[in-house]
Amino acid sequence: MKYTSTRDASKKLYTFEDALCSGYAPDGGLFVPQDLPSDKIINSTTVLKEWATLNYVDLATQILRLFLSLEEISTVELKTIVAASLSSFDVSSVVP
């Protein structure tokens, strides 16, 4: 998936790595996805029902997967990052 700046009229595209490492776009705008993957979830009750059964780490991984290509980060790496990011929470369920 590619990202663009909220301020860039030329709609130059950036990779996830560019967006993550930069924080802000060169023009001072925010990075946003070029396209929203809504068609993959909003029109699929099957996906939403499946997501309802997932724990928080798996759900976050599935949602983030929609915005990150496999070429940028594998699903295993992504899940590891999500789990590590949430590991310092004081409650085991992370989100009640």
Side-chain angles (χ1 to χ4, degrees), residues 13-82:
L13 298 178
Y14 301 88
T15 65
F16 170 72
E17 185 177 356
D18 293 335
L20 181 67
C21 293
S22 301
Y24 290 103
D27 59 10
L30 301 174
F31 285 109
V32 293
Q34 176 186 17
D35 298 304
L36 293 177
S38 60
D39 61 321
K40 296 178 184 175
I41 53 172
I42 292 175
N43 297 327
S44 176
T45 56
T46 304
V47 171
L48 295 176
K49 286 179 182 178
E50 178 187 323
W51 283 4
T53 66
L54 300 177
N55 65 43
Y56 192 75
V57 169
D58 290 335
L59 177 60
T61 301
Q62 290 297 316
I63 292 169
L64 288 169
R65 173 85 287 145
L66 296 172
F67 296 93
L68 304 168
S69 72
L70 285 169
E71 292 80 26
E72 293 172 311
I73 187 167
S74 73
T75 301
V76 171
E77 291 172 313
L78 181 58
K79 185 174 179 178
T80 300
I81 291 168
V82 169

